Amino acid sequence: MTGPLRPAFHEGQVLAAADLSATVEYARGPAARHARHLHEWGIAEGLGLVTQPRTDPATGVRYVEVSVAPGIAVDGTGREVVVTEPVVLRESDFDEVNGADQLTVEPYPVFLTATDREPDRSAAPVSCSGSATKTRVEESYQLLFGRLGDERLVAEQQPPAIGAPPADPPVRWLILLGYVQWADGHFSGVVTEARGVAARFVGVRADSVSAASGALTLRTAPEAQEGKPALVLSGGDTPNLVFGLYQGGGTVAPLMTVAANGNLTIEGSFSGGTQTGSTLVASGTATDGMLLPLPSGVTPEQVADGRVVLHVHLTPRTPPLGTTELYSPVETAVDADRRLRCRVRRYDPVAAPGEVVDQPGSADFLVVATVAATNGGG
């Protein structure tokens, strides 16, 4: 195995396209490794789901047009994904992925992923022969709709090797932007979190963080906002650690203060927590094709290596039926990836005596995670 190769040049050297390409690729490698190993991947700026009210001229149905705001994200391979202008989500793309599923009020995930494209502008001649070829690659993006539960695939993505450059197609890394809701053949709304999974934002990896001003502040928004929390570590004449809420003038009103001598001052009450048990549970209702969630605190890695054993109980739900309609479950099961398979059969001997309909169904689920005693719950 070798480390990264840095291009080197000398006087009189004949430069080929591969030499120039190696220079570009070398610069991309350190940038990607920096983003991948010194930071956490996710949304860096913008990329929110924005709605505009609309009315269907044919039916009069009110719905919303959903667009993705301009912004920047960094994927788990260290590649930067840039959306330079608002992009309207196409309902036809959503219908192609989820149109055959049973109607539900559950929100559907929207993903961003990087891709390469040839730019639209014309190519430039690159040789004396006058032949032309593309001399630029547009680092573009794709917006994808997922099925119910596919948001859990984001946490199960595996990062590339330590020395690898940013991933180029066909490698795909999914960045969750949020969720859309669907009704009457149109988008009806957006949400930022569903089934316990929210959009992910960038972070930083560091064992040591220092402040040049002598005070280090952590807050929940880029700007100080009245009523929002902040944590301030001060190292002046009276060192202390303060947790509190921002006031109108930008100062922090203390709710808890730890002085340099160890004294703790709090404005509210104090209570302790209880130890997590060895059995964790998640429950709810899922539709055909949906990934069942893991109980809070359980990771896919713990299940894969046997530290946690899953027990799943499924109960088919009876769909709304007509007065003479009969129903029976055909299949209710979950596969190794925790994706629900649920099919039901409907038959109306009065309204349609010769017609039997199979369709996706839904089921109540109970996922019980049993943690080994030697694991200590972690």
Side-chain angles (χ1 to χ4, degrees), residues 95-362:
D95 193 62
E96 183 178 345
V97 175
N98 294 293
D101 287 356
Q102 186 179 14
L103 293 178
T104 176
V105 296
E106 287 286 326
Y108 295 81
V110 180
F111 300 109
L112 173 72
T113 188
T115 189
D116 284 345
R117 292 195 179 101
E118 289 190 355
D120 295 332
R121 55 182 175 271
S122 60
V126 295
S127 69
C128 297
S129 64
S131 62
T133 186
K134 295 292 185 180
T135 60
R136 300 291 186 273
V137 175
E138 180 185 352
E139 295 188 339
S140 189
Y141 59 88
Q142 278 186 300
L143 293 168
L144 306 171
F145 293 104
R147 299 177 65 192
L148 292 176
D150 279 352
E151 66 277 358
R152 302 191 183 280
L153 299 174
V154 172
E156 298 179 9
Q157 298 177 112
Q158 296 299 315
I162 291 293
D168 291 327
V171 176
R172 188 177 70 178
W173 191 280
L174 298 176
I175 301 170
L176 178 66
L177 301 183
Y179 301 82
V180 293
Q181 295 167 308
W182 183 259
D184 300 321
H186 296 287
F187 296 127
S188 59
V190 301
V191 294
T192 57
E193 181 176 350
R195 298 174 287 274
V197 182
R200 172 172 172 159
F201 294 84
V202 293
V204 62
R205 300 181 185 181
D207 288 341
S208 176
V209 179
S210 60
S213 66
L216 183 66
T217 302
L218 300 178
R219 55 174 173 251
T220 58
E223 302 295 334
Q225 300 178 17
E226 185 175 2
K228 297 297 184 180
L231 186 68
V232 182
L233 176 62
S234 299
D237 295 335
T238 56
N240 58 38
L241 176 66
V242 173
F243 170 77
L245 302 179
Y246 276 111
Q247 297 175 315
T251 59
V252 177
L255 295 177
M256 182 189 74
T257 303
V258 182
N261 59 5
N263 289 344
L264 173 65
T265 304
I266 59 175
E267 299 299 321
S269 60
F270 179 82
S271 60
T274 58
Q275 183 68 30
T276 303
S278 59
T279 300
L280 302 173
V281 177
S283 63
T285 302
T287 55
D288 180 64
M290 181 174 170
L291 289 176
L292 300 188
L294 292 173
S296 178
V298 177
T299 66
E301 292 77 16
Q302 290 174 320
V303 177
D305 63 21
R307 286 180 289 166
V308 172
V309 178
L310 295 183
H311 310 269
V312 180
H313 178 74
L314 301 172
T315 304
R317 293 180 67 92
T318 303
L321 300 173
T323 55
T324 61
E325 193 174 10
L326 303 176
Y327 140 85
S328 65
V330 176
E331 179 186 29
T332 305
V334 62
D335 62 20
D337 295 325
R338 306 192 314 279
R339 191 178 294 277
L340 177 67
R341 300 197 306 270
C342 185
R343 306 290 296 182
V344 299
R345 181 166 295 160
R346 302 174 69 155
Y347 171 61
D348 194 326
V350 176
E355 182 180 359
V356 176
V357 178
D358 286 356
Q359 66 180 44
S362 60

